[in-house]
């Protein structure tokens, strides 16, 4: 409601803040600021080796009473003297405490990261790493740098109520992986923190088939609400290498639906192609897996967060996929021709990326929302960009009911787009918004199409009432 906000700033918003480094502040409803990174004595926090500290905001509870963040600085007494990575802290109802605590009560010298903060897995990378009520915090330890340097496999944990920690990625009792412990990677979690999804090359359940240590991972689900039940969601007995899960596009808010890609052919989906990135939807309650389409390896921006790099011409950290909160709709890009449209660029001769929406309701349907309505081949691709904002839904490019989609393309899909630059469009399903029910779909230009430079979409409201975008043009 705008009454509270979090800031990372080098400006001292508290008189006691004299360190001149980046700090995390909470602005309350009255306009006052609380210095969250101050440490136990509210004094200037100590920097390790006299170096400026790394500070990352990783999430908050719905009411702002819990905030998690990473810091390489010694904010509290008793921290490891020379940690090789950042530690995970939690500000909870006015008190600062360590969130990255191992099950035995120790603080890992190798550091701890909220969710998958290094972007190894799910591109949201820390979305729902803290539950809405703040009672559950998911973290990986040690951090990837330490893991690579010291051969310590990264594991996934959950800190519960600031009092105890559970090893989420531990194998079931009696299960031993012949290849030894393998790294686990956070992929997604439900909003309430009752369910978490992660990938691992390790054999963690009795029915898991992961092949050798260097072959593809399996997708696991850990249910805290069921007393800690671990399930392999991608059991594949027909291939010696296993499911070979490549990544996750997203999940529903309640964790009942998840979308992922895998190189394996997961039964009963005989149309999937072995060794290629097949897009699947799984109902985690029933275990039913539905094959949607076979994508191209170049579509990896749909399921892998590329921190610090560019994905298919997008901005650093871009993600070209979005799952609706109820899990019934997924939006993604592909250079494959999935609906019969000829997407070979008439200039380059290479396939352009188009934007597709899958509707899981009923029999399921796949629609190309960015393909030229005239059927003419493209001169540019289409994209959505979900930035690196960790827990904010700033990357929403589809309404909750999947009836409206906002995207970018330099393709001249409507005559008014005459500037030759990237423009912002809105696609509507027939009978939705302003689109008449008799129409299959409607396409609208959101930016003017005459700006002196490219415009880009920032998102759409859940009901499609508002669209947000950037443009170099001064608008009324």
């Amino acid at each position: 409601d705008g009454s509270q906000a979090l800031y990372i700033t080098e400006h001292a918003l508290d008189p006691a803040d004299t360190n001149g480094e980046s700090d995390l502040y909470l602005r309350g409803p009255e306009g006052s600021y609380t210095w969250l990174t101050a440490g136990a004595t509210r004094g200037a926090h100590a920097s390790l080796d006299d170096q400026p500290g790394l500070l990352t905001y990783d999430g908050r509870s719905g009411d702002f009473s819990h905030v998690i963040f990473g810091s390489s600085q010694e904010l509290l007494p008793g921290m490891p003297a020379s940690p090789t990575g950042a530690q995970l802290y939690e500000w909870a109802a006015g008190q600062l405490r360590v969130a990255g605590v191992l099950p035995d009560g120790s603080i890992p010298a190798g550091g701890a990261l909220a969710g998958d903060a290094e972007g190894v897995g799910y591109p949201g990378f820390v979305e729902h790493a803290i539950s809405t009520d703040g009672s559950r915090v998911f973290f990986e330890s040690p951090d990837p740098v330490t893991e690579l340097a010291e051969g310590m496999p990264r594991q996934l944990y959950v800190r519960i109520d600031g009092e105890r920690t559970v090893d989420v990625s531990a194998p079931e009792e009696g299960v031993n992986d012949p290849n030894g412990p393998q790294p686990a990677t956070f992929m997604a979690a439900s909003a309430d923190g009752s369910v978490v999804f992660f990938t691992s090359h390790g054999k963690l359940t009795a029915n898991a088939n992961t092949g050798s240590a260097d072959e593809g991972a399996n997708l696991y689900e850990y249910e805290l609400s069921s007393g800690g039940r671990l399930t392999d969601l991608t059991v594949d007995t027909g291939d010696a290498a296993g499911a070979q899960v490549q990544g996750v596009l997203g999940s529903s808010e309640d964790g009942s639906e998840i979308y992922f890609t895998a190189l394996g052919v997961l039964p009963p989906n005989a149309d999937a192609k072995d060794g290629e990135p097949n897009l699947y939807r799984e109902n985690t309650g029933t275990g039913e897996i539905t094959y949607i389409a076979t994508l191209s390896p170049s579509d990896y921006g749909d399921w892998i967060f590329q921190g610090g790099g560019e994905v298919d011409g997008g901005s650093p950290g871009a993600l070209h996929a979005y799952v609706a909160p109820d899990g019934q709709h997924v939006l993604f890009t592909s250079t494959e021709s999935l609906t019969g449209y000829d997407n070979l660029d008439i200039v380059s001769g290479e396939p352009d990326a188009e934007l597709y929406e899958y509707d899981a309701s009923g029999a399921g349907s796949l629609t190309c929302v960015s393909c030229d309505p005239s059927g003419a081949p493209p001169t540019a691709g289409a994209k959505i960009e979900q930035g690196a904002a960790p827990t904010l839904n700033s990357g929403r490019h589809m309404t909750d009911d999947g009836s409206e989609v906002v995207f970018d393309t330099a393709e001249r899909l409507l005559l008014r787009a005459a500037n030759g630059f990237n423009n912002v469009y809105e696609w509507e399903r027939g009978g939705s918004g302003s689109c008449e029910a008799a129409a299959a779909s409607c396409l609208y230009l959101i930016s003017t199409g005459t700006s002196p430079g490219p415009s880009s979409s920032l998102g759409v409201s859940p009901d499609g009432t508002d669209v947000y975008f950037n443009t170099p043009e001064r608008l009324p």
Side-chain angles (χ1 to χ4, degrees):
D1 62 3
S3 66
Q4 300 184 84
L6 287 160
Y7 300 89
I8 291 182
T9 177
E10 293 182 2
H11 295 285
L13 301 180
D14 184 298
D17 184 356
T18 60
N19 60 49
E21 298 176 8
S22 293
D23 279 285
L24 181 62
Y25 284 92
L26 169 64
R27 183 184 185 276
E30 320 82 24
S32 61
Y33 290 93
T34 302
W35 183 14
L36 304 189
T37 47
T41 60
R42 288 192 54 78
H45 45 254
S47 295
L48 300 174
D49 301 324
D50 297 322
Q51 296 296 318
L54 171 70
L55 176 63
T56 60
Y57 163 70
D58 295 323
R60 62 170 178 83
S61 61
D63 62 359
F64 284 80
S65 63
H66 296 254
V67 180
I68 56 173
F69 59 93
S71 177
S72 60
Q73 295 178 322
E74 196 172 352
L75 299 186
L76 291 175
M79 299 300 291
S82 299
T84 56
Q87 295 294 341
L88 181 63
Y89 291 90
E90 178 183 13
W91 183 85
Q95 299 294 320
L96 185 64
R97 63 193 185 193
V98 183
V101 181
L102 297 179
D104 62 3
S106 64
I107 298 171
L113 298 168
D116 181 42
E118 287 296 309
V120 179
Y122 172 48
F125 72 90
V126 292
E127 187 169 11
H128 298 327
I130 182 172
S131 60
T132 303
D133 65 359
S135 64
R136 293 160 175 166
V137 176
F138 297 99
F139 68 93
E140 295 175 354
S141 181
D143 69 33
V145 174
T146 304
E147 174 191 7
L148 294 174
E150 301 182 11
M152 301 168 62
R154 183 177 64 256
Q155 298 299 301
L156 178 63
Y157 303 92
V158 58
R159 184 70 171 169
I160 302 174
D161 294 322
E163 298 176 349
R164 62 188 181 94
T165 301
V166 174
D167 187 349
V168 169
S169 57
E172 290 180 331
E173 185 175 355
V175 175
N176 296 301
D177 192 327
N179 298 310
Q182 300 295 315
T185 302
F186 175 90
M187 289 283 152
S190 60
D192 65 0
S194 63
V195 175
V196 61
F197 303 98
F198 66 96
T199 56
S200 175
H201 294 262
K203 180 180 176 62
L204 304 181
T205 61
N207 64 343
N209 172 28
T210 57
S212 65
D214 59 351
E215 287 177 321
N218 278 10
L219 177 62
Y220 291 95
E221 175 191 45
Y222 186 89
E223 297 176 84
L224 282 79
S225 56
S226 299
R229 182 171 61 188
L230 184 65
T231 304
D232 181 359
L233 297 178
T234 53
V235 176
D236 182 10
T237 58
D239 191 325
Q244 301 179 77
V245 174
Q246 301 300 291
V248 169
L249 285 71
S251 66
S252 60
E253 289 286 277
D254 63 0
S256 63
E257 306 280 349
I258 188 165
Y259 293 83
F260 62 93
T261 56
L263 301 184
V265 177
L266 301 180
N269 303 285
D271 291 335
K273 299 179 181 179
D274 190 31
E276 298 186 35
N278 300 294
L279 174 59
Y280 295 100
R281 162 184 170 253
E282 181 162 357
N283 182 301
T284 60
T286 64
E288 180 184 7
I289 299 177
T290 302
Y291 166 75
I292 299 174
T294 298
L295 307 183
S296 165
S298 65
D299 299 333
Y300 63 91
D302 286 336
W303 61 85
I304 297 179
F305 174 76
Q306 297 292 305
E310 292 200 353
V311 179
D312 297 338
S315 61
L319 167 64
H320 293 180
Y322 175 76
V323 175
D326 65 359
Q328 295 302 299
H329 304 269
V330 61
L331 189 65
F332 62 96
T333 60
S334 180
T335 57
E336 293 290 324
S337 177
L338 302 181
T339 58
Y341 173 70
D342 181 5
N343 64 330
L344 290 180
D345 193 296
I346 59 175
V347 177
S348 68
E350 298 295 324
D352 280 330
E354 299 293 349
L355 194 60
Y356 296 89
E357 185 215 7
Y358 175 75
D359 181 355
S361 60
S365 61
L366 189 62
T367 302
C368 180
V369 302
S370 64
C371 292
D372 193 318
S374 71
T379 59
K383 63 181 182 295
I384 60 173
E385 292 185 1
Q386 203 171 329
T391 58
L392 305 177
N393 214 355
S394 59
R396 181 195 301 273
H397 284 75
M398 177 174 58
T399 55
D400 283 357
D401 64 1
S403 64
E404 301 177 36
V405 173
V406 176
F407 64 94
D408 307 343
T409 183
E411 178 72 17
R412 191 178 185 182
L413 298 179
L414 295 174
L415 290 178
R416 288 194 297 117
N419 57 3
F421 292 111
N422 207 65
N423 282 295
V424 179
Y425 291 85
E426 181 183 28
W427 172 91
E428 290 184 350
R429 183 180 291 113
S432 301
S434 303
C435 191
E436 296 182 359
S441 63
C442 298
L443 196 62
Y444 305 96
L445 188 61
I446 299 298
S447 57
T448 65
T450 58
S451 63
S455 302
S456 59
S457 61
L458 298 177
V460 62
S461 60
D463 63 357
T465 301
D466 300 298
V467 174
Y468 307 92
F469 64 100
N470 283 328
T471 181
E473 187 176 16
R474 182 173 182 176
L475 300 178

